[in-house]
Amino acid sequence: MSLFRDDGIVLRTQKLGEADRIITILTRGHGRVRAVARGVRRTKSKFGARLEPFSHVDVQFFARGSELVGRGLPLCTQSETIAAYGAGIVTDYARYTAGTAMLETAERFTDHEGEPAVQQYLLLVGGLRTLARGEHAPHLVLDAFLLRSLAVNGYAPSFGDCAKCGMPGPNRFFSVASGGSVCVDCRVPGSVVPSPQTLVLLGALLTGDWETADACEARYVREGSGLVSAYLHWHLERGLRSLRYVEK
């Protein structure tokens, strides 16, 4: 029997029995972890209020054996709040739907429990912090998070040079299956021709150029969101349920 301590973001919760919950947390050191939190649904439980989606928490786990992720679910025995991002997210529909899509994306990119995913974890912490503070439009924060999540998982799209032959950009065509922008010689059936401003916007979101992103016109933002969604769905092989509710 072993004790483990880590910090993480609560991704989702599920009811278990009359008073318990199964908590899914993306942790810094152990990747995605599912654990049982006993008694957190009781009215007087202060412990349960800290284990809600969007919460950044310091958590102690109790596991049977030398590994945190094993045959059975560990117990979540203690929790301390690091940052309650939910307070700045759940009261605004646009932020809430964008944040929910970010949580679902993080869970989908960490499908193997117990495997560290530090870059994905840091992206999620930074994304939720930015979303809660209202520093940028929620849909821009979401698209930036999605693009960077794709990048850290090995699926970085190209928005300038040709993704197939490397021809210097800008290039007119965009192919989800080919990895982003493609030149006229490398274009494939199904390629689209987005506005040059849209590709500039997506490049800015990927690299963190918020001055360019914030100044972009709404029509290019909408077109960019469509490309990001299509690219994400291609690599995840199925869509995110929460994306349909995001305001554009």
Side-chain angles (χ1 to χ4, degrees), residues 153-201:
N153 285 282
Y155 306 118
S158 172
F159 299 118
D161 297 346
C162 178
K164 297 189 73 174
C165 71
M167 178 179 175
N171 287 289
R172 290 184 58 204
F173 302 96
F174 188 91
S175 169
V176 169
S178 299
S181 295
V182 290
C183 64
V184 64
D185 295 326
C186 295
R187 64 174 175 169
V188 295
S191 298
V192 296
V193 186
S195 301
Q197 294 90 333
T198 299
L199 296 180
V200 170
L201 165 65

Side-chain angles (χ1 to χ4, degrees), residues 37-240:
R38 290 180 174 170
V40 295
R41 289 167 54 204
R42 295 194 181 105
T43 306
K44 296 182 180 180
S45 174
K46 296 181 180 179
F47 182 38
R50 301 175 189 142
L51 293 174
E52 293 293 336
F54 305 113
S55 296
H56 188 194
V57 291
D58 183 319
V59 187
Q60 180 175 279
F61 300 102
F62 175 81
R64 299 180 183 275
S66 59
E67 299 292 334
L68 176 57
V69 178
R71 293 183 179 179
L73 295 180
L75 295 178
C76 179
T77 58
Q78 186 178 347
S79 173
E80 298 294 335
T81 300
I82 297 174
Y85 295 128
I89 293 176
V90 299
T91 55
D92 180 86
Y93 181 80
R95 293 184 195 175
Y96 175 73
T97 53
T100 301
M102 291 164 67
L103 297 184
E104 185 181 354
T105 300
E107 184 170 2
R108 292 283 296 278
F109 273 123
T110 55
D111 54 348
H112 297 293
E113 291 187 22
E115 292 186 3
V118 178
Q119 287 182 301
Q120 186 67 67
Y121 165 78
L122 293 175
L123 270 177
L124 184 58
V125 172
L128 292 180
R129 182 190 301 120
T130 301
L131 193 64
R133 291 175 178 174
E135 297 175 358
H136 308 284
H139 53 273
L140 289 179
V141 176
L142 172 60
D143 285 344
F145 175 80
L146 297 179
L147 289 172
R148 295 178 199 181
S149 294
L150 285 160
V152 301
N153 285 282
Y155 306 118
S158 172
F159 299 118
D161 297 346
C162 178
K164 297 189 73 174
C165 71
M167 178 179 175
N171 287 289
R172 290 184 58 204
F173 302 96
F174 188 91
S175 169
V176 169
S178 299
S181 295
V182 290
C183 64
V184 64
D185 295 326
C186 295
R187 64 174 175 169
V188 295
S191 298
V192 296
V193 186
S195 301
Q197 294 90 333
T198 299
L199 296 180
V200 170
L201 165 65
L202 296 179
L205 291 175
L206 182 60
T207 58
D209 180 2
W210 285 106
E211 183 178 354
T212 298
D214 289 336
C216 196
E217 293 183 29
R219 53 178 172 165
Y220 303 128
V221 172
R222 287 193 295 269
E223 185 177 40
S225 292
L227 292 180
V228 172
S229 178
Y231 195 84
L232 179 72
H233 289 187
W234 173 268
H235 288 289
L236 287 180
E237 297 182 355
R238 66 181 190 273
L240 297 178

